Amino acid sequence: MTTILGIETSCDETAAAVVDDGYSVRSNVIASQVDLHRKYGGVVPEIASRAHIERIDSVIREAMEIASATLDDIDAIAVTAEPGLVGSLLIGITAAKTLSLAWDKPLLAVDHVLAHALSPAIEVQPPPWPAVALIVSGGHTTLYHIHDFDRIDRLGGTTDDAAGEAFDKVATILDLPYPGGPEIDKLARTGDPKRFEFPRTMLGRDSLDFSFSGIKTAVLYHVHGQGKTSGGLNRWNAQDLSDIAASFQQAVVDVLVKKALRAVKKTKASAVVLGGGVAANQCLRKTLADACEQQGLTFHAAAMQFCMDNAAMIAAAGFHQFKRGDLATLELAATAGLQR
Ligand code: KG4
Ligand code: ZN
C-alpha cells in the first residue's frame, strides 16, 4: 500500500489529507476561510496567505491524527504547485518541502486543476475513464480528455472569467451574499429560466474554450440599465430577481453542457465526469446528466467533498505521479499559472 499526505493551499482553503493508493481517503481536513473574505466580496490574497500560515500546522496535524497515520506510514508528500495565488501556494509548498526534508520523504508537485479532473475517481471503482472531464469552479473552467490516470489531454479552458467567478460576480450585482454561486442556485429554483435571454458565448464552431465575462456585463446592464434608464436593483421585484438568476444560470449551464458534448464528439469518449465547486449546482448536474443520458453516455459527478478545493484530490493525483516516478525536488517553486 502507498500512503500519500496531500497539502492544498492554492486559494482560500487550507487543506490536508491522507490517502491510500490514490483511492481510500483516510482523512480530508479543510479549514475554509470564507468567513474572513466575505466582507470584501471575494478572496483577498494577503489575508488568504496569512490565514494559511496560521492554520497549516494544525490542519496537517489533524489530517495525520484522523488517519491514525504516523511518520512511518507516509510514503510521499504531495502539494499543489500551480495554479493559484502565489502567496497562498508558497505556504503549502514550504510546509511540504519542510516535511519532505525533515521526514526524508519524496516530494510531489501537483497541478491543482488536473487533480480536480481526477477527483471523480476517488473512492470509485472502476475509475470512470476514458472520459471527458468538465472542471468548473471559482478559479477554473477546463475540459480534459482523460484516457487514464497517466494520459490526460487538456482540450480547452476559459479565456477570461471562470464559471464560478461569473456566478459570484452576478450574485454581487444582485446584492446576494458571498460566495454567490450557491445563492444564485437557490434563487434560480423559483425563477423562470426563459424569461430573459442572456448571451451564450460559444467562441466559434469548434472551440472548446469558454468566455464568461460577456454574460456578466450583460446581466449588469440588464439589472442596472444604461445611462438615463438606470433604475438599479429597486426597479425589480423578488420574482424578477429570481427570473434573472434563473435566466443567467441557464445561459451558463447551456454553454457548459454544449461544450462538454462538443468535447465528447471530438474525442469519441463514452463518459463525462464533472468536478469543481460549481458541480454543486443543481441545474448543471441535472442538465448534464439528462444530456448524457439522451446521448447514451455515462455520467459521473465527483462526490461533493472532493468537488470543492480539498487535499484528498492532491494526494490522489500525487499517488499516480509517485507510481510513475514523477518526483519534485526542493527547488520546487510556486507558479501562478495562466491556463485556467
Ligand atoms: O472548487 P471551489 O470550492 O474553489 C475554487 O477552486 O474556486 O469552487 C468555489 C466556486 C465559487 O465560485 C462558488 O460560488 C461556486 O464554486 N459554487 C457554486 C455552487 N456552489 C459553489 N456555483 C453555482 N452553484 C452552486 N451550487
Ligand atoms: Zn479548485
Side-chain angles (χ1 to χ4, degrees), residues 134-158:
L134 172 64
I135 304 308
V136 268
S137 74
H140 3 269
T141 304
T142 315
L143 279 166
Y144 290 101
H145 184 196
I146 306 185
H147 303 266
D148 57 45
F149 286 111
D150 299 318
R151 197 152 70 93
I152 301 162
D153 298 323
R154 185 181 183 278
L155 300 169
T158 185

Side-chain angles (χ1 to χ4, degrees), residues 7-16 28-37 43 47-49 51-53 55-56 59 80 85 88-89 91-92 112 116 137-138 178-179 277 305 307-311 313-314:
I7 298 173
E8 152 66 35
T9 61
S10 66
C11 190
D12 61 337
E13 329 278 358
T14 316
N28 187 25
V29 178
I30 303 171
S32 168
Q33 301 178 9
V34 72
D35 292 338
L36 293 178
H37 300 285
V43 176
I47 293 175
S49 309
H52 285 309
I53 292 172
R55 296 162 187 208
I56 189 77
V59 166
T80 306
L85 302 169
S88 289
L89 287 165
I91 312 305
H112 176 92
H116 268 302
S137 74
Y178 170 86
Q305 69 268 32
C307 277
M308 58 196 290
D309 282 351
N310 68 92
M313 70 179 189
I314 304 303

